[in-house]
């Protein structure tokens, strides 16, 4: 994962997309979403890697590896959004752009989902647009990276 533009990380249970509570999370599998992300990134000349993990330690290790090697991270931390100070701390060290995404709108759901430990260290948050949250996040990454270029 050396010198890629964009790392997309999806956390726990997102490997079950399509089968998992489809009324909330939609009917597309993560493979289908990742394949669209790869096309969209290619069209925009962004080198992308897409990973899913159910393991907090694996996600932390990925973020450590991305530091100095990746320009932007799109992360859907799943339930770790609401629990993981450790993922937040790893993201705090990451020196690029961070977009937090959610398929659902956690603010429109149970109270325990209203707190995100990740938002405070993210460049921005996109939530509530189903699979489109991921595609909108790529547009946000493009904007943020181009903004940096014009400020150079
Ligand atoms: C989620 C929202 C979280 O609250 C939940 O635990 C998930 C998915 C979303 O994409 O809407 O696993 O991150």
């Amino acid at each position: 994962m050396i010198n890629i533009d964009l790392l997309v990380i999806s956390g726990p249970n997102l490997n079950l997309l399509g089968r998992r509570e489809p009324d909330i999370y939609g009917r597309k599998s993560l493979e289908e979403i990742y394949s669209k992300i790869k096309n969209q990134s290619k069209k925009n000349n962004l080198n992308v890697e897409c990973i899913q993990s159910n393991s907090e330690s694996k996600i932390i290790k990925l973020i450590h590896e991305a530091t100095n090697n990746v320009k932007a991270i799109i992360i859907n931390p799943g339930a770790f959004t609401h629990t993981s100070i450790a993922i937040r701390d790893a993201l705090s060290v990451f020196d690029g752009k961070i977009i937090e995404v959610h398929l659902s709108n956690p603010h429109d759901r149970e109270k325990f989902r209203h707190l995100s430990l990740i938002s405070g260290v993210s460049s921005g948050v996109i939530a509530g647009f189903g699979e489109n949250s991921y595609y909108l996040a790529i547009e946000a990454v493009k904007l943020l990276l181009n903004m940096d270029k014009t400020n150079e």
Side-chain angles (χ1 to χ4, degrees):
M1 192 226 302
I2 303 284
N3 291 328
I4 61 168
D5 298 306
L6 175 60
L7 174 64
V8 181
I9 303 173
S10 296
N13 300 308
L14 292 162
N15 55 314
L16 300 180
L17 280 185
R19 284 178 287 150
R20 173 193 183 199
E21 299 180 272
D23 291 345
I24 297 175
Y25 298 116
R27 283 166 210 286
K28 283 260 168 72
S29 68
L30 191 63
E31 287 73 25
E32 288 173 296
I33 294 172
Y34 275 0
S35 145
K36 274 195 164 187
I37 287 176
K38 285 175 192 161
N39 285 337
Q40 189 184 354
S41 302
K42 205 171 172 188
K43 275 188 201 145
N44 289 290
N45 294 319
L46 293 170
N47 291 322
V48 68
E49 253 190 61
C50 299
I51 294 170
Q52 187 276 331
S53 178
N54 295 315
S55 147
E56 188 176 24
S57 78
K58 226 175 172 178
I59 293 172
I60 292 166
K61 197 162 168 248
L62 272 171
I63 297 166
H64 290 170
E65 284 167 12
T67 304
N68 298 322
N69 290 319
V70 174
K71 291 183 189 150
I73 293 178
I74 292 174
I75 182 163
N76 181 348
F80 289 146
T81 307
H82 320 294
T83 62
S84 182
I85 298 171
I87 290 178
R88 178 199 171 98
D89 286 350
L91 287 169
S92 300
V93 180
F94 177 69
D95 49 355
K97 308 296 179 191
I98 300 165
I99 314 289
E100 175 186 347
V101 305
H102 301 283
L103 297 140
S104 67
N105 175 1
H107 297 286
D108 190 29
R109 299 181 62 195
E110 303 94 325
K111 208 159 183 209
F112 62 83
R113 295 185 203 276
H114 294 184
L115 173 71
S116 166
L117 297 174
I118 308 303
S119 301
V121 294
S122 299
S123 312
V125 184
I126 300 174
F129 300 100
E131 61 177 298
N132 290 313
S133 294
Y134 281 93
Y135 315 142
L136 289 168
I138 294 180
E139 295 303 313
V141 165
K142 274 166 50 190
L143 278 175
L144 292 172
L145 296 182
N146 282 333
M147 265 163 55
D148 276 1
K149 263 187 213 150
T150 45
N151 289 336
E152 266 167 17

